[in-house]
Amino acid sequence: MTSPTAGPTSMKASLPPALLPLTEFSHLEGHCWIARLPEAGEGDSVAAPLSSSLHVLENGRPLGPGHSEHQHIIAEGGGRYSHWGDTLYFSTSDGAAPAHDGRAYHVLVQERLGVGPWSQIARQLAHRTDAPTPAAVYAAAEALLASHYPAAMLGEDLKAFWGETALRETYTRLCGSNQRSFERKFAVLGLLRLTHQVPGDVAECGAYEGATAYFLAQALAQADRRRQILLFDSFEGLSAPDAIDGGYWRPGDLTAAEARARENLRDFATVEFYRGWIPSRFAEVADRRFAFVHIDVDLHAPTRDSLEFFYPRTAPGGVIVCDDYGFTSCPGARVAMDEFFAGRPEPVVHLPTGQGFVIKA
Ligand SMILES: C[S@@+](CC[C@H](N)C(=O)[O-])C[C@H]1O[C@@H](n2cnc3c(N)ncnc32)[C@H](O)[C@@H]1O
C-alpha cells in the first residue's frame, strides 16, 4: 500500500485545494481546540474581523457560527469557531476531543471553490444552518471528487462495517484519526477467519508499527486459536525500489521504530520479531508451517522473496494476502504476485480494498 493509512496517489491540482483536512490539534482551554492553518489563506484580524472565508466541517457537516469570540468558543463550544491569523480556534459539535472522536474535520476555503456544480453544492452545504442529510453530504463529496480528482471514487455509502465501533476505536488508537486503511484491516480479519481450521502459524512481512499484527493477534486470541505471529521488518523502512516499482517510493520511506511496534503489541506473548532486510531472517524459520501470511512491503523484490519463501510453507487452505496488490503506487508488488501465481493453481483475487489474496490449493 502507500503509508499504512494514506491513499495511494498524491493529487496534483492546478489550484490550491479548497478542502483541507485537519489532522493536528492542540487543546487551548475549555471547549476550544487549535489547528494551525498556514495553507488556508488570510484569517480574521483586528483590521478585518470578517475577512476569513473559511468553513469548518465535521464529518462533512458545517460547524458554526464562524467569527465567534474566543471566550464563547472556550465556554460554550457547540461548533463555534474563529479563523484568526493563521490559526483556527474551534470547538466540536458535542465537546468531544477532535483527535480521538473518530470524526473527520476539514476546512473549506470558499474563495478557492471556483465554479461548477460541485462548488454550488459545497457552497450550499457550507451556508446551511440546518444539518444537511448524510446522503446530501456524501453526494457533495462525490461531486467534489468527480470534479477535481476523477480517478478517485468514494464507492458505496451505508456500509455496515463502518459501525464496528470496537474495531474502529482500536484502529484509531493504533493508526490515528485517518480511517483510510480501516477497510483493509477489516478485510484481513475476514480472511484470517477462513484459516481457523488450517494448521500453522501467522507471518507478516512488513509490520511497520504493528497495527495489522495487533488486529491479527487480538482476533486469534478472541477465537481461542493459539498461533505464533512472526513479524519481519527492517525497521529501517523500504529497501531500494527497482525500475519495476515506479517512482512513488524512496528507500527508507515508512520507517517505523521497532520499539513502537513492540509497545503496541506488548499484550501478546505470541508475537515474535525478526528485524532485518527480507529475506535475511527467513532461514531461521525454515522449518515452520503457516496458515496465514500477510505481505505488505510495497516493493517487487521483497514481495517476490516473501512469496518464494512462504508459499511452499503455507498449508492447504491457508491464505496469503498482498496488501499492495491493487495500488497504482505499488506496481512491482502486483507484478510479483501475478508472476508468482501465473504457473500455479491459485487465482489471485483482487479486492476493491486494494488487497490481493490467494487460498493455497
Ligand atoms: C506499509 S508498511 C507495513 C504496514 C503494516 N503491515 C500495517 O498494516 O500496519 C511497510 C513496511 O515494510 C517494511 N519493509 C519494506 N521493505 C522491506 C524489506 N526489503 N525488508 C524488510 N522490511 C521492509 C518497512 O520497514 C515498513 O515497516
Side-chain angles (χ1 to χ4, degrees), residues 299-316:
L299 303 177
H300 179 264
T303 302
R304 176 203 60 209
D305 293 346
S306 300
L307 289 168
E308 286 176 355
F309 179 79
F310 283 103
Y311 176 82
R313 292 170 176 80
T314 300

Side-chain angles (χ1 to χ4, degrees), residues 1 185 204 206-208 212 233-234 237 239 254 276-278 296 298:
M1 66 177 158
K185 305 287 186 283
E204 185 177 47
Y208 194 62
T212 296
D233 201 297
S234 65
S239 44
L254 300 178
W277 294 106
I278 290 169
D296 188 3
D298 299 274

Side-chain angles (χ1 to χ4, degrees), residues 107-196:
V107 292
L108 185 68
V109 186
Q110 182 166 312
E111 66 206 15
R112 294 187 192 154
L113 282 176
V115 293
W118 80 264
S119 310
Q120 290 170 14
I121 297 168
R123 275 203 183 85
Q124 284 167 11
L125 286 176
H127 284 295
R128 286 176 73 143
T129 50
D130 59 328
T133 63
V137 173
Y138 209 82
E142 283 179 317
L144 188 153
L145 276 175
S147 171
H148 275 53
Y149 187 9
M153 304 285 170
L154 272 184
E156 286 287 1
D157 188 14
L158 303 178
K159 286 187 282 192
F161 82 99
W162 289 115
E164 294 281 348
T165 315
L167 290 178
R168 290 276 301 280
E169 283 173 6
T170 301
Y171 175 91
T172 302
R173 180 171 60 77
L174 293 168
C175 304
S177 57
N178 174 332
Q179 300 290 304
R180 291 180 186 182
S181 78
F182 179 72
E183 60 185 4
R184 281 180 279 143
K185 305 287 186 283
F186 190 79
V188 158
L189 292 178
L191 294 169
L192 179 72
R193 273 203 299 282
L194 288 176
T195 66
H196 277 344

Side-chain angles (χ1 to χ4, degrees), residues 334-355:
R334 182 171 192 147
V335 170
M337 281 285 279
D338 285 343
E339 287 187 349
F340 187 85
F341 287 105
R344 292 185 164 82
E346 297 88 356
V348 179
V349 179
H350 183 178
L351 295 177
T353 56
Q355 293 147 307

